[in-house]
Amino acid sequence: MSTPESRLKELGLKLPAPTKLPDGLHIPFEFVNVRGDRALFSGHPKNAMDGSLAGPFGVVGAEITTDQAYAEAREVALTVLANLKAEIGELSRIVGWVRVFGMVTSAPGYSDQHVVVNGFSDLIIEVFGPDIGRHARSAIGVSGLPLGFAMEIEGEVMISA
């Protein structure tokens, strides 16, 4: 059986560096909060390969197409995996994906948020398989997110000791 790290390599994907906040930006919370056999991850945008915040920025359904946003959601998944790995060591410690919640900055009348967040869900299932990767999920449209992000995705995983 392959590990999530080897599966990422098979898919030709690389994790960015864990998130590095810009100078002067203070957040009073953790990107990953481990509590017993659970790891909760805060709302994540996408990281550049060096760990800097890389958006995506803008409004889906106006400046960003659904297809572009779907691809960006896959990149957000890689950022989440990078931060989880930094916190728990090996991604193979994830024994189940519990829930995912996607927030998409949406143009008035835009209603394909679920398609956008499928980018995240599809990547998780590709990497972890249908048993470990399956999760409950919600996707909503919002009028704005911090720093002008086009999306943030948060959730929870079960981890082994």
Side-chain angles (χ1 to χ4, degrees), residues 68-88:
Q68 290 168 326
Y70 173 95
E72 294 285 1
R74 290 177 65 86
E75 297 290 326
V76 172
L78 294 174
T79 297
V80 166
L81 294 178
N83 285 335
L84 283 167
K85 184 175 174 65
E87 185 66 30
I88 66 172

Side-chain angles (χ1 to χ4, degrees), residues 24-113:
L25 180 61
H26 167 72
I27 58 170
F29 59 86
E30 300 295 325
F31 278 111
V32 176
N33 184 8
V34 175
R35 296 285 186 218
D37 67 348
R38 306 281 174 145
L40 293 92
F41 56 92
S42 298
H44 276 62
K46 168 180 93 168
N47 283 0
M49 290 310 288
D50 67 359
S52 62
L53 299 178
F57 301 99
V59 178
V60 180
E63 302 143 344
I64 301 169
T65 69
T66 300
D67 288 343
Q68 290 168 326
Y70 173 95
E72 294 285 1
R74 290 177 65 86
E75 297 290 326
V76 172
L78 294 174
T79 297
V80 166
L81 294 178
N83 285 335
L84 283 167
K85 184 175 174 65
E87 185 66 30
I88 66 172
E90 296 300 318
L91 293 175
S92 58
R93 285 192 60 205
I94 297 173
V95 296
W97 282 78
V98 178
R99 60 175 286 279
V100 169
F101 179 64
M103 297 159 277
V104 179
T105 303
S106 302
Y110 183 79
S111 62
D112 282 336
Q113 294 85 359

Side-chain angles (χ1 to χ4, degrees), residues 119-143:
F120 186 100
S121 294
D122 288 346
L123 186 130
I124 294 306
I125 292 168
E126 288 172 30
V127 171
F128 288 88
D131 291 330
I132 293 173
R134 69 185 173 94
H135 53 271
R137 198 198 75 197
S138 297
I140 64 167
V142 298
S143 62

